[in-house]
Amino acid sequence: MKPSGPIDQIRHASDRFAPYAVRLREIFTAMDLAYAAAADKCGFHCSGCEDNCCRTLFYHHTYLELFYLFSGLEGLKPERRAALQSRAIDVCRQVEAAPAESETSQRICPLNISGLCGLYAYRPMICRLHGIPHVLQRPDGRKMVGPGCDDFHRQCGSPGDAVLDRTPHYAALASLEREFRQAMGLTDKLRLTVAEMIIQFIY
Ligand code: SF4
């Protein structure tokens, strides 16, 4: 999938993205701290598993996450970047070949190398929040509750309440995304897997 016009125009405009990257890092730090506190509270330790989040076909919806991943890719040595891009192309081909398949499969995120994330500091929001039972208060007032991953429930059973409130983290990211889109003139909706994000970077 080739990048749409706006992405193509500004993907190398790192000077324009820089101030947003600083604020995004603060939002991600708050997420990481909240996740760690929730995990500690339950005694949950994520050390990878057969059914981990890197095998789930998550879609990402913000330009901030896309450009943050780009900045991580830009910092890699060319040969490392080329290897990740090649893995991303393979994953995209597999997904295209089996469009009706379940969202969880044996395909693994192209950034997962031997169980470790190749761009850990630059990973998107859902990679930071997945695994712990959560609640989300949507802007329309609806409350959504989600379970933890299988490994969480194996380790911790079923805590009565959602342990992690995702609401302030989603709200902070959405607010900064609105500001960023307006400043950059980005209007297209975004729905990309990590593999597709990496492909956007190639062209
Ligand atoms: S970006 Fe990193 S943490 Fe997220 S799915 Fe890919 S390998 Fe896993």
Side-chain angles (χ1 to χ4, degrees), residues 53-54 109 111-112 117 123-124 127 194:
C53 51
C54 306
C109 174
L111 291 181
N112 184 310
C117 179
R123 70 201 189 284
C127 305
V194 166

Side-chain angles (χ1 to χ4, degrees), residues 28-49:
F28 280 162
T29 299
M31 276 180 206
D32 295 345
L33 289 171
Y35 187 96
D40 277 356
K41 187 174 161 189
C42 300
F44 175 56
H45 299 285
C46 172
S47 50
C49 62

